[in-house]
């Protein structure tokens, strides 16, 4: 186990390539200041080339993330172009996550709001516990989402729900949040433990396969159906003929590989 400490994040890496990245500013409810975004960019730019097989994105304290650091934003009194550049850095960080090719599993608790939801929606899998709640309070603050919510949260919940969340500040939690697609897992116990289990499961896949899953699907969403079908064929050409897959195919052919069965 090795660890790396940024000012606002901690990173722990085990020998299996499972990384735990923890937002570490609980006294400010893990609000995202400009410095944290730079740290996320640095971390997620390098992770795919540093042997990360799966990453759990967690947060210290009772709340996952309170979104944009509103106090910093207030104190900086930014000009439009300053905040545009801030948003572009958020996009840089979140695109590195979504398109980086390493599975990212977000372990959520408490508030996942505003930019915190934008961060969580850049992960590939979201796991919530019973305390988790989601909202976009920007509307009530006189603001607008700037970290990709119009794209990623809309993808998750659909346009009408997204607009409702933005207009009314509606809070989703529990089964309802699961039903509308804000997360894929709702657990009784610790979202962190469940996320670790999922991370280990995904890390058992071949890295090239995970790379394709955690980058190609997102890229293909941005393409026409015709181009996406072409890109899918090219990606499958590379992934499905990788040498490392031979062993798994061999095992299937020899009937030693696990079969796909319904849940008990
Ligand atoms: C913060 C922030 C923040 C807390 N920026 N400092 N996001 C929001 O509108 C959410 C705003 N935050 C909250 O509603 C609440 O803080 C929570 C529900 C998340 C947590 O409540 P609670 O009672 O546990 O904490 P608190 O007493 O409100 O805050 C504790 C400290 O965290 C306090 O600092 P302190 O120095 O006075 O102790 C708060 O100021 C600080 N804090 N949230 C800065 N967000 C790219 S565009 C994205 C647009 C957005 O994300 S808009 C932000 C939406």
């Amino acid at each position: 186990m090795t660890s790396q400490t940024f000012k606002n994040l901690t990173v722990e890496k085990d020998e299996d390539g499972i990384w735990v990245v923890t937002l570490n500013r609980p006294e400010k409810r893990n609000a995202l200041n400009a410095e944290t975004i730079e740290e996320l960019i640095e971390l997620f730019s390098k992770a795919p080339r540093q042997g990360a097989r799966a990453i759990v994105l967690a947060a210290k304290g009772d709340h996952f993330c309170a979104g944009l650091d509103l106090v910093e934003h207030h104190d900086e009194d930014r000009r439009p172009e300053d905040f545009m550049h801030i948003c572009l850095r958020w996009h840089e960080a979140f695109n590195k996550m979504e398109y980086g090719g390493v599975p990212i599993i977000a372990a959520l608790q408490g508030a996942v709001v505003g930019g915190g939801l934008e961060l969580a929606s850049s992960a590939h899998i979201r796991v919530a516990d019973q305390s988790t709640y989601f909202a976009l309070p920007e509307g009530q603050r006189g603001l607008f989402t700037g970290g990709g919510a119009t794209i990623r949260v809309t993808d998750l919940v659909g346009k009408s729900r997204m607009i409702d969340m933005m207009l009314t500040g509606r809070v989703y939690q529990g089964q309802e949040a699961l039903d509308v697609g804000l997360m894929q897992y709702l657990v009784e116990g610790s979202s962190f433990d469940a996320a670790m289990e999922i991370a280990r499961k995904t890390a058992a896949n071949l890295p090239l396969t995970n790379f394709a899953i955690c980058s190609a699907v997102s890229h293909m969403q941005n393409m026409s159906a015709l181009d996406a079908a072409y890109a899918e064929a090219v990606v499958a050409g590379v992934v499905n003929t990788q040498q490392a897959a031979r062993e798994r195919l061999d095992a299937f052919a020899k009937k030693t590989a696990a079969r796909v069965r319904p849940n008990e």
Side-chain angles (χ1 to χ4, degrees):
M1 177 82 79
T2 58
S3 66
Q4 186 181 359
T5 305
F6 293 87
K7 192 155 166 224
N8 306 290
L9 305 173
T10 57
V11 186
E12 290 173 314
K13 309 172 185 181
D14 78 6
E15 52 292 344
D16 300 321
I18 311 286
W19 291 21
V20 176
V21 175
T22 307
L23 303 176
N24 195 12
R25 217 179 156 225
E27 69 286 357
K28 299 292 180 192
R29 307 307 183 253
N30 299 311
L32 297 171
N33 56 7
E35 189 178 51
T36 306
I37 295 295
E38 293 305 317
E39 293 181 2
L40 288 169
I41 294 171
E42 186 182 339
L43 176 77
F44 284 107
S45 302
K46 291 183 181 161
R49 289 171 286 122
Q50 291 181 335
R53 297 284 302 256
I55 299 174
V56 170
L57 177 65
K60 203 161 172 193
D62 293 339
H63 298 282
F64 176 74
C65 177
L68 175 71
D69 188 319
L70 293 168
V71 176
E72 180 183 72
H73 187 59
H74 170 262
D75 293 349
E76 293 279 320
D77 198 13
R78 293 164 170 137
R79 292 172 305 161
E81 59 270 39
D82 297 334
F83 196 63
M84 177 190 73
H85 285 295
I86 290 282
C87 292
L88 289 173
R89 297 306 279 164
W90 282 52
H91 293 312
E92 181 75 10
F94 297 170
N95 288 340
K96 288 282 183 256
M97 293 171 61
E98 182 180 349
Y99 295 87
V102 178
I104 301 174
I105 296 97
L108 306 175
Q109 75 273 4
V112 183
V113 301
L117 178 51
E118 294 179 311
L119 171 65
S121 64
S122 309
H124 302 100
I125 296 179
R126 279 158 297 284
V127 184
D129 72 8
Q130 298 296 321
S131 74
T132 308
Y133 61 97
F134 302 88
L136 293 172
E138 281 87 342
Q140 281 68 50
R141 307 259 183 245
L143 305 175
F144 190 76
T145 59
T150 53
I151 302 137
R152 292 192 183 90
V153 179
T154 305
D155 255 6
L156 295 178
V157 303
K159 186 169 74 175
S160 300
R161 282 198 191 94
M162 170 66 180
I163 291 174
D164 177 27
M165 287 177 80
M166 291 183 78
L167 283 174
T168 66
R170 179 172 180 168
V171 173
Y172 281 101
Q173 63 200 91
Q175 187 63 42
E176 192 182 20
L178 186 69
D179 291 343
V180 301
L182 284 161
M183 74 285 200
Q184 296 98 313
Y185 295 88
L186 173 63
V187 297
E188 283 297 331
S190 146
S191 58
F192 179 78
D193 291 350
M196 285 299 286
E197 201 179 310
I198 293 166
R200 288 192 200 294
K201 190 181 267 190
T202 65
N205 298 337
L206 295 175
L208 187 61
T209 300
N210 279 346
F211 176 80
I213 296 168
C214 295
S215 64
V217 175
S218 290
H219 277 293
M220 285 159 189
Q221 292 291 305
N222 303 328
M223 299 176 189
S224 69
L226 192 67
D227 289 338
Y230 177 76
E232 185 186 65
V234 174
V235 171
V238 175
V239 173
N240 297 8
T241 56
Q242 62 181 314
Q243 197 53 37
R246 292 289 312 166
E247 254 175 60
R248 293 175 185 227
L249 294 171
D250 255 11
F252 184 81
K254 290 181 179 139
K255 299 198 182 296
T256 56
R259 264 41 189 171
V260 182
R261 305 285 185 220
N263 294 326
E264 304 270 287

